[in-house]
Amino acid sequence: MRYDSITEAIGNTPLVRIDPEVHGLRNLDLYAKLELLNPFGSVKDRAAWNMARPHLASAAAHGSQVVELSSGNTAKALAVLAGMHGLTFKSVTNRMRVPEIKDLLLLLGAEIEELPGQSECLDPTATSDPLTLFHRTLSEPGGAYLHTDQYFNPRNTEAHLTGTGPEIVKDLGGRAPDWFIACVGTAGSSTGVARVLRENDPSVRVVGLVAAKSDFVPGIRTIDEAHEVGLFDPGTYDTIEAVTSDEAIEGMLTLNRRCGILAGPTGGAAYFGAVRQLRSVDEELTERQSAVFIVCDRVESYLSYVRQRRPDLFGRPRRQNSPADLSEAEIRTAPAVDVAEAQAWIATGRPLVVDLRSSFAYAALHIDGSVNIVDELFEELLRGGLPFSRNRPVLLVCPVGEKSARYAALLTRMGHPDVRSLTGGVIAWRDAGAPLVRD
């Protein structure tokens, strides 16, 4: 197969049937759409090319810089496309959480700008957030940048209306699957594919998968974060379910080891969520059905992510004192205080206030006197036991109070007598008009 440009190799990825001996479903055929085989390694190749293509010639003529608010696969694809057209690329993000992706972007010649932001995702309603202000600046007409704007650009969705969706229908013999299971990131692929499948068969059931609250699965947003994305429409999905990082890794290992598909944790989450959802209906089916999920990218970029959460896979001891081991009941009953109670407690009890957000978010705005321990580092500290004296009360703070609740529950389990989570996090503190300082 001959091409004149690598961009011609984007799309037309295989649809592979998963062996029923692996997934155990008796009345369902489960297929994986292998977007990891796109030339730059992910499903985002389609959107990046579709968003950038109409503007690259003009950008090259004016010497513009390609810019995107991305710390993952969209940035990687755009860095390649920019370089191919003699342009530079800048990735703007609040937090570059996967080291391998950061190193690869630098290798591709990308510039990375980590802006201080109050939360780790773009929130258009946070009018004072530096990340939001930067996004608005990029979106102004006549600027010096080619801003692809993946969170709001309809061409993100269109890439799957004209490519991914029709390919699935074609490969299934001209009919849509009965089920489509999709991870929700920018929502471009899930929205575009779902629209095509339902045009072919309105009875297609669409399951959206989000990351469990306060958890991190690369490429997937929590339900709260998803609502901040301009392309996200909850009406696209018949149901929306959460997947944890541990479940994503388990699904990834099944695809890697049993299916020969070198999927990353996003694809693992899609597989795990698909089997979990379909297992609940499998026995009730009276005729055979089909289901499709997307394998977004490859495993190699996430080895550090997996190693941190499953060191046993690399011959190291299993982690101890992890928030992933908590029950929902423990998290729900974790000690917590609202903003007014926290202010009174800080004034009288002088707790140690620990801000779990990224250093950039902390630098933007934080509670006066608080200390910054990024959540990943905080989890590492807990593996060695309680990091604080039992005599020192502790107030934990995160963006919206979800991660802090988990860690408050974990510290309580570990025996700390007086640890509390700030309900609603820094956002609630800000909205209440409580004082914040910046570095």
Side-chain angles (χ1 to χ4, degrees), residues 13 58 159 188 215 304 347 384 397:
T13 56
S58 175
D215 209 345
S304 63
V397 180

Side-chain angles (χ1 to χ4, degrees), residues 73-89:
N73 287 315
T74 305
K76 180 173 66 173
L78 287 170
V80 175
L81 292 168
M84 289 173 60
H85 291 80
L87 299 169
T88 60
F89 171 73

Side-chain angles (χ1 to χ4, degrees), residues 336-373:
V337 290
D338 62 23
V339 173
E341 292 168 329
Q343 287 182 291
W345 191 34
I346 291 171
T348 58
R350 298 197 173 278
L352 174 64
V353 183
V354 180
D355 191 319
L356 301 169
R357 298 174 301 153
S358 73
S359 58
F360 293 97
Y362 178 82
L365 287 171
H366 59 267
I367 297 172
D368 192 20
S370 62
V371 297
N372 183 213
I373 307 178

Side-chain angles (χ1 to χ4, degrees), residues 266-311:
T266 317
Y271 172 77
F272 188 97
V275 173
R276 182 180 62 190
Q277 177 70 30
L278 298 172
R279 194 170 284 151
S280 65
V281 301
D282 182 40
E283 295 298 326
E284 301 174 2
L285 294 177
T286 57
E287 57 183 28
R288 196 153 196 85
Q289 292 191 354
S290 60
V292 172
F293 68 96
I294 291 177
V295 177
C296 297
D297 60 8
R298 298 180 62 89
V299 66
E300 292 90 343
S301 293
Y302 303 101
L303 295 181
S304 63
Y305 171 86
V306 178
R307 186 182 298 112
Q308 182 186 37
R309 287 157 179 80
R310 289 289 305 276

